[in-house]
Amino acid sequence: MPKVGVLALQGAWARHAEVLSALGAHTVAVRGAQDLSGLDAIVLPGGESTTISMLLESSGLFDPLAACLAGGMAVLGTCAGMILLAAEVMDGRPDQRCFGAVDIAVRRNAFGRQVDSFETELAVPALGTGAFPAVFISAPTVERAGAAVDVLAEVDGRAVLCRQGPALAAAFHPELSHDLRLHELFLAGV
Ligand code: GLN
């Protein structure tokens, strides 16, 4: 049974933990550096990336988590989590930090603000033939993806699901659709 952490400082982490448990993972809510020990993988949830970045620093988690990711720990980042995994953040706070685990530049809130949140049926060949119901909430757009990045899905020609090695980054909230395939893909790489 893989031991999968879910970063639980702020945001939409609880439903990720439920989905991962339903798929047979042992899940751990990560709030401090001590919670990283023995993890096989981690989820960075949606929420507010500026707030999560601040809390990662004040909790002392930023550097140890960065070391885990640099060491190749499998990670799934969704929405704000995608922003945290990026190499460059546009329209962020000047002091906002990111891990650079996926060589993408993202622009915050570029699909619109809360009122512009939407759901769409996404073609994701890596998940098989059926469309994936993807929920976007004040989502970031990917403005640039480096050569090492696999784009697994797009909306209107813009990347919304990216993979680089053990890191998966989604602009949407897969934990909110009743479709477990993206979490299964993540666990298959653990
Ligand atoms: N707009 C948020 C941010 O920039 C992300 C929104 C989300 O995670 N649903 O952090």
Side-chain angles (χ1 to χ4, degrees), residues 9-47:
L9 296 175
Q10 189 265 342
W13 60 272
R15 181 75 194 134
H16 275 294
E18 286 171 20
V19 172
L20 292 164
S21 299
L23 291 173
H26 172 57
T27 64
V28 178
V30 174
R31 297 194 174 89
Q34 71 283 355
D35 301 321
L36 295 173
S37 76
L39 291 187
D40 299 304
I42 190 162
V43 173
L44 311 185

Side-chain angles (χ1 to χ4, degrees), residues 7 9-12 44-57 62 78-86 88-93 95-99 106-109 137-140 173:
L7 185 67
L9 296 175
Q10 189 265 342
L44 311 185
E48 183 50 56
S49 60
T50 53
T51 304
I52 298 174
S53 170
M54 258 166 43
L55 293 173
L56 279 166
E57 297 222 65
F62 193 94
T78 61
C79 203
M82 172 189 244
I83 296 168
L84 287 162
L85 288 179
E88 186 188 344
V89 179
M90 300 167 179
D91 295 341
R93 270 174 56 132
D95 59 350
Q96 174 166 10
R97 295 180 70 190
C98 53
F99 293 112
V106 295
R107 189 178 296 282
R108 293 180 60 233
N109 300 318
I137 305 170
S138 303
H173 282 257

Side-chain angles (χ1 to χ4, degrees), residues 33 50 77 125 164 171 187:
T50 53
Q164 183 174 343
L187 288 177

